[in-house]
Amino acid sequence: MLGEAASTRPAVHGGRAPDAVRWPPAQRKRLVLSWVSGMNVITGKAWVFGDEINTDVMAPGLYFKSSMEEMARHCLEAVDPGFAASVAPGDIVVAGHNFGVGSAREQAALAFRHLKVGAILAESFGRIFYRNALNFGVPALFFPQSADIGAGDLLAVDPVTGSIENRNSGQRYTVDGIPEHLMQMIQAGGLMPWLKQRLATEGAP
């Protein structure tokens, strides 16, 4: 089941991010090296939303029989009609409490991936949406200071170290980063691409 790979977080409404598994030193070193030289920093404009943004407005049911491309065009249009047309690759969604509450529809997370959103920062997430975001390759971090961010602020986010910088205000924050084993999966494009890569590597002579 797709929702199981990123299910290590026990709580929905805040707290610490999932704990990393204990990788052998050599493998851990390879994972860390894959994020050096600034490759881990996601830089983009902030799109700011409030509390209780539900999956129904991320993936409207009216478009369930349409393609994912069409579905993504209507992501969050009930809240911000210009979002899907204007969001640029690498831009960062910032939200309040319980972002992604509601139904378990995977299309909600897929819409952000299709739009190439760089990361999602929220005070808390709907549990299933949080798992789906990671499983579909969208970095999601718990960010208690989301109210500090203004729409259009330029943010730089390091999802591994949990470092967040607002380059407009100069304010810096540190939150719980994404564990390396989950970041490896996200870097591969999500759970299924990561599994395919892993199976191909294990099956190679």
Side-chain angles (χ1 to χ4, degrees):
M1 181 176 178
L2 288 180
E4 294 305 315
S7 61
T8 53
R9 184 180 181 86
V12 181
H13 302 292
R16 294 184 60 82
D19 294 327
V21 296
R22 300 299 180 184
W23 292 89
Q27 188 171 5
R28 183 179 179 89
K29 183 178 180 182
R30 287 198 299 272
L31 289 171
V32 172
L33 287 175
S34 70
W35 286 92
V36 299
S37 304
M39 293 296 291
N40 52 327
V41 177
I42 301 164
T43 304
K45 183 176 75 172
W47 291 82
V48 179
F49 299 92
D51 296 334
E52 306 289 333
I53 302 297
N54 66 62
T55 54
D56 292 345
V57 299
M58 299 174 185
L62 181 63
Y63 303 100
F64 267 17
K65 294 184 179 180
S66 304
S67 66
M68 195 60 236
E69 181 178 6
E70 179 66 18
M71 173 79 77
R73 288 195 189 105
H74 301 277
C75 180
L76 295 175
E77 70 177 358
V79 182
D80 183 346
F83 170 75
S86 302
V87 66
D91 280 355
I92 297 164
V93 170
V94 180
H97 291 288
N98 222 9
F99 189 76
V101 65
S103 71
R105 59 188 69 179
E106 295 176 342
Q107 293 92 336
L110 277 169
F112 291 107
R113 177 183 172 183
H114 190 86
L115 294 170
K116 298 182 173 60
V117 166
I120 301 173
L121 312 178
E123 293 182 39
S124 61
F125 294 89
R127 177 172 57 92
I128 296 175
F129 174 83
Y130 174 77
R131 298 191 317 191
N132 283 341
L134 298 182
N135 286 342
F136 287 117
V138 182
L141 291 91
F142 288 77
F143 182 46
Q145 298 89 357
S146 66
D148 291 352
I149 307 301
D153 284 354
L154 182 63
L155 303 181
V157 178
D158 185 328
V160 174
T161 66
S163 173
I164 299 170
E165 178 187 0
N166 185 329
R167 291 185 175 172
N168 285 69
S169 68
Q171 186 70 39
R172 295 173 181 267
Y173 310 87
T174 301
V175 300
D176 291 321
I178 297 174
E180 292 162 5
H181 68 294
L182 292 183
M183 205 62 231
Q184 184 187 35
M185 180 185 74
I186 291 169
Q187 192 177 23
L191 176 60
M192 296 309 294
W194 176 77
L195 286 175
K196 289 179 181 178
Q197 290 182 14
R198 183 173 178 179
L199 290 172
T201 301
E202 292 176 352

